Amino acid sequence: MWNELLYAFQEVATLPNFLAMFAGIWGGVIIGAIPGMTGTMAVTLALPFTFYLSPVTSILLLVALYKGSTYGGSISAILIKTPGTASAACTVLDGYPLARAGKGGKALNMALISSCIGDFISNISLFFLAIPLATFALRVGPPEFFMLMAFSLTIVASISGRSLVLGIISACLGLLLATVGEDMYGSFRFALSEDMKSGLGMVPVLIGLFALPELIKMIVFRPEDNAAAMKLGDNRLTLAEFRGSIKSICRGSIIGVILGAIPGIGPSTAAFFSYSEARRTSKNGDKFGEGELEGIAASESANNGACGATMIPLLALGVPGDVITGVMLGAFMIHGLTPGPLLFQNNLGDVYALFIGILFSSVFLFVAGKATAGAFTKISRIPQTLLLPCILILCVYGIYSIGASPFDVTVLLVMGVVGFVMMLLNIPAAPFLIAFILGPMFEDNMRRSLAISRGDLGVFFQSWISWGFFALTILFVTLTIRREWKKWRSNRNADTASAS
Amino acid sequence: MNQNRDFYAGLVATVFFAVILFVLIPIYVKVPSFIPGFAPPPDMWPRVVAVIGLVMGVLALVLAFPKMREASRDRVEGFGNRILGNKTHLMRFAGILIVFVAFVYGMPLIGFVPATVLLLGVLFIMTGNFERKFWMIGLAVIFPVLLYLLFTEVTHTPFPKGKLLSANISHLTTLI
């Protein structure tokens, strides 16, 4: 084993590999920071270049692009309230309020450090836990998936803000909007036009909901500080702030690794799951959503933690967990490597080389992120009257480029107006978003499970994994009801006292 | 203020989910005559969500109504009155809607780049701040063109050229 490791190290430590990783991380960060351009797009665009590279260099380039774009999404999420990728949507909740308060640099630093730690833990787990985690992931079928999604949806209670009822209304809107288009059996739902038959894209909905309402608000209400640039405060992250978030970073990384190893879940769910857990357990839980560094740490460590872990089922079993690992599977095949158990037998040297290279990429991520974040922080100095209209145009181009579809641009603009009306009515946008992302997975797995069991609800309680998530769901729902009941009673008592 | 907002939010949600449940689902969610195995029909999930949304909308109304009545007794100005009373805000909002609609329908006609140049220019004007006029004019023209070059070169996105422009050019070619 040690001989193979030494050989692998020699194979990785070459200039082409380092250049590929550096270019990949750098390119990924920039692409991820542009709204509408996703990691999938970055990896797909780079695929043709890998034909001319060695197998290890090719895969390292693609992995670096994936990791870079996942972190890059947080830059635009924090500075311009526009999540560059779906997995950065959760980072908006605390990142943007921090940027508005003149702590954009601090937020970016926290995002970078937690991303790198999440990434590193994920890489280590790839090294040591690939086989056991992949075996666990295979035991997660539609019923377990359904229970996991049910538990994830209880996050709505944590991110509803002032009113749980309005939070649930927002989540219902998201769930309903996610049903637009063709369902798993080929039936069309709410296909009011031909374009709607293929459903609504996640990116236009996401960006429309978060980025556009700010522009519309600025035009409609014209606040006095419009022309002013955002304040630039102390950008350094203190040791105390880092210490305060370390628990959430570690927990987020582990959540990312476990959820990332399960095919089909991806970094977005991991980010929301970790954010919710951090909010539940943190002593500053009430401040989440108002600009809490721990919130950024939780979501960023989880989404980057999931990145490396998505490679686990691919390498160990040959099962791609999402579109990006699907493209990587293609890259493996192009170079004559077949991911799966045989890869560990026949090409152990290449596998170790890949693992070592991926470990190095965490360091590159830190360097590239630090350099890029410094440049991006300057965005804060642009006055809102110039910045927000330009962001809309950037979003319009980015979203059109995804599928060359004018319908996606229409969805972006409509969602902007919907988001503005929601803002006026105090309906929180975050539950809408989480429901829109998780809704299709929840419904598909429920229907699939019932189809398998021929309608027997017992299918949801056949394994300990299902039971575990079911118990957590019930526990959390009970705690939420109890909390809301107490809040209602204390409000009523206060009203009675003030009336008398 | 908040109780009024909750009331209107509840009202909007109740009406919206009622329309979904009683009008849109029966028309736009078709249940196929044959579903393989035992699988819940396609309208099951939207119905469940719409019912929950409707119940929550009514609940928001019920919870906000007593507080709102109390507040109106103390002559607190309603949120609806504030919005409807301020015609300038309404006009600006209507203006944005018109600009967005014009962009969506105008873009296939005049082309993607001219449409985005116009959109950016109009949005700059609508912000009402003219301290940096030259920046506004420069950005309105240069920024969309730069983005066009970036996306056509990197992602090879085929942006619409515009029917009017293509028609005129082809017409000219035919004439020549």
Side-chain angles (χ1 to χ4, degrees):
Chain A
M1 181 195 172
W2 293 108
N3 280 345
E4 274 150 347
L5 266 175
L6 199 67
Y7 163 76
F9 191 82
Q10 279 174 342
E11 203 185 327
V12 172
T14 60
L15 189 65
N17 283 342
F18 283 151
L19 281 178
M21 277 191 281
F22 211 73
I25 290 278
W26 211 289
V29 170
I30 291 168
I31 286 177
I34 298 174
M37 292 193 79
T38 58
T40 313
M41 203 185 263
V43 171
T44 315
L45 283 171
L47 190 63
F49 296 103
T50 62
F51 296 164
Y52 310 103
L53 304 171
S54 73
V56 172
T57 315
S58 309
I59 306 298
L60 287 179
L61 172 71
L62 299 181
V63 172
L65 273 166
Y66 183 22
K67 288 178 177 186
S69 63
T70 306
Y71 163 70
S74 69
I75 295 176
S76 48
I78 290 168
L79 294 177
I80 54 175
K81 207 184 176 183
T82 308
T85 54
S87 58
C90 207
T91 310
V92 173
L93 304 178
D94 286 285
Y96 188 67
L98 276 168
R100 292 294 293 170
K103 294 175 184 168
K106 207 182 262 287
L108 284 177
N109 277 327
M110 178 54 94
L112 177 62
I113 290 172
S114 35
S115 292
C116 289
I117 295 176
D119 188 45
F120 190 75
I121 292 178
S122 156
N123 295 341
I124 294 281
S125 65
L126 183 64
F127 213 119
F128 294 106
L129 302 172
I131 305 279
L133 267 176
T135 318
F136 164 78
L138 272 192
R139 291 179 68 174
V140 179
E144 290 81 11
F145 223 132
F146 167 78
M147 282 295 182
L148 170 65
M149 290 301 126
F151 177 58
S152 299
L153 278 173
T154 61
I155 296 169
V156 167
S158 316
I159 52 176
S160 289
R162 192 180 52 81
S163 165
L164 179 64
V165 173
L166 294 185
I168 297 174
I169 286 174
S170 175
C172 287
L173 281 171
L175 288 173
L176 215 49
L177 212 63
T179 63
V180 173
E182 194 175 359
D183 81 339
M184 58 189 284
Y185 291 107
S187 307
F188 291 107
R189 298 185 291 192
F190 303 113
L192 275 68
S193 69
E194 197 61 34
D195 293 310
M196 287 174 85
K197 283 187 173 175
S198 50
L200 306 178
M202 189 186 290
V203 181
V205 171
L206 190 85
I207 295 180
L209 200 65
F210 278 107
L212 260 63
E214 288 295 320
L215 170 73
I216 301 175
K217 190 174 110 185
M218 185 185 73
I219 288 174
V220 171
F221 296 112
R222 291 187 183 172
E224 282 176 8
D225 61 347
N226 254 357
M230 273 192 236
K231 287 176 283 176
L232 272 178
D234 184 11
N235 284 336
R236 278 176 307 174
L237 191 67
T238 64
L239 196 64
E241 285 165 338
F242 175 69
R243 260 196 224 133
S245 304
I246 191 74
K247 224 191 240 177
S248 295
I249 294 176
C250 292
R251 188 182 33 234
S253 307
I254 294 166
I255 288 173
V257 168
I258 295 171
L259 294 190
I262 301 171
I265 292 192
S268 318
T269 314
F272 273 103
F273 198 102
S274 164
Y275 183 84
S276 166
E277 282 310 301
R279 188 182 172 135
R280 277 174 211 172
T281 51
S282 169
K283 59 179 182 214
N284 297 328
D286 294 343
K287 290 180 190 159
F288 273 50
E290 295 167 12
E292 181 60 45
L293 281 168
E294 206 178 334
I296 297 177
S299 66
E300 282 302 306
S301 56
N303 66 24
N304 267 77
C307 277
T310 51
M311 297 287 288
I312 290 173
L314 177 68
L315 288 173
L317 307 165
V319 179
D322 56 9
V323 184
I324 293 184
T325 42
V327 176
M328 284 182 196
L329 177 65
F332 272 105
M333 302 295 234
I334 287 165
H335 291 285
L337 300 171
T338 311
L342 284 178
L343 186 73
F344 285 79
Q345 277 179 25
N346 303 338
N347 306 84
L348 194 62
D350 287 334
V351 173
Y352 280 148
L354 212 55
F355 284 174
I356 293 169
I358 290 173
L359 269 176
F360 271 119
S361 68
S362 300
V363 181
F364 286 119
L365 179 63
F366 184 79
V367 175
K370 197 79 186 158
T372 324
F376 273 105
T377 315
K378 292 190 174 65
I379 290 174
S380 315
R381 295 185 194 174
I382 303 171
Q384 299 281 295
T385 45
L386 289 180
L387 182 65
L388 294 181
C390 288
I391 290 171
L392 171 66
I393 299 301
L394 182 62
C395 294
V396 165
Y397 271 90
I399 280 164
Y400 189 86
S401 74
I402 295 173
S405 159
F407 178 67
D408 284 344
V409 178
T410 311
V411 171
L412 169 85
L413 299 176
V414 171
M415 283 315 296
V417 175
V418 170
F420 177 68
V421 174
M422 283 170 70
M423 190 193 268
L424 285 182
L425 294 171
N426 263 357
I427 298 176
F432 180 104
L433 180 71
I434 185 74
F436 186 77
I437 292 173
L438 299 183
M441 288 194 253
F442 180 84
E443 191 203 352
D444 284 357
N445 284 292
M446 176 180 63
R447 294 178 72 187
R448 205 166 283 149
S449 306
L450 288 173
I452 292 166
S453 69
R454 304 190 67 80
D456 179 13
L457 289 172
V459 72
F460 295 116
F461 303 98
Q462 281 175 354
S463 76
W464 62 268
I465 301 173
S466 299
W467 272 109
F469 285 124
F470 178 71
L472 284 172
T473 310
I474 295 294
L475 176 75
F476 187 67
V477 169
T478 313
L479 288 175
T480 306
I481 293 172
R482 193 166 152 247
R483 191 191 67 201
E484 287 296 312
W485 174 250
K486 271 187 178 172
K487 203 164 87 179
W488 185 77
R489 275 184 62 178
S490 68
N491 282 348
R492 199 185 59 173
N493 290 343
D495 286 348
T496 320
S498 64
S500 60
Chain B
M1 260 296 284
N2 273 337
Q3 55 271 24
N4 287 320
R5 285 200 195 199
D6 288 359
F7 181 81
Y8 287 112
L11 192 66
V12 169
T14 308
V15 172
F16 175 80
F17 286 112
V19 169
I20 293 283
L21 191 60
F22 301 116
V23 181
L24 291 184
I25 291 178
I27 299 173
Y28 287 104
V29 184
K30 297 277 179 234
V31 181
S33 50
F34 171 72
I35 297 170
F38 180 93
D43 64 335
M44 183 272 282
W45 182 236
R47 274 186 200 280
V48 170
V49 176
V51 168
I52 296 172
L54 190 63
V55 170
M56 287 296 141
V58 174
L59 192 62
L61 275 176
V62 170
L63 290 175
F65 190 68
K67 285 185 181 176
M68 196 173 136
R69 214 171 44 179
E70 186 82 17
S72 68
R73 212 180 292 144
D74 299 336
R75 293 182 186 282
V76 171
E77 197 184 8
F79 177 67
N81 284 343
R82 247 167 54 91
I83 292 281
L84 293 171
N86 199 328
K87 280 186 185 150
T88 319
H89 290 170
L90 264 184
M91 295 277 279
R92 285 177 193 156
F93 184 55
I96 287 182
L97 293 182
I98 291 167
V99 169
F100 283 175
V101 171
F103 174 75
V104 167
Y105 285 100
M107 182 251 288
L109 295 174
I110 64 169
F112 203 84
V113 180
T116 46
V117 168
L118 282 175
L119 176 66
L120 189 53
V122 171
L123 288 177
F124 278 145
I125 293 168
M126 289 181 88
T127 60
N129 186 296
F130 302 105
E131 277 174 25
R132 296 173 179 86
K133 279 191 208 102
F134 292 109
W135 271 103
M136 285 177 166
I137 296 166
L139 274 176
V141 179
I142 294 167
F143 192 60
V145 174
L146 280 179
L147 286 176
Y148 173 77
L149 292 174
L150 173 79
F151 281 97
T152 43
E153 288 302 314
V154 178
T155 61
H156 305 289
T157 309
F159 289 105
K161 296 271 183 283
K163 279 180 197 160
L164 287 179
L165 196 67
S166 333
N168 282 340
I169 290 168
S170 61
H171 187 66
L172 276 174
T173 324
T174 325
L175 281 177
I176 291 163

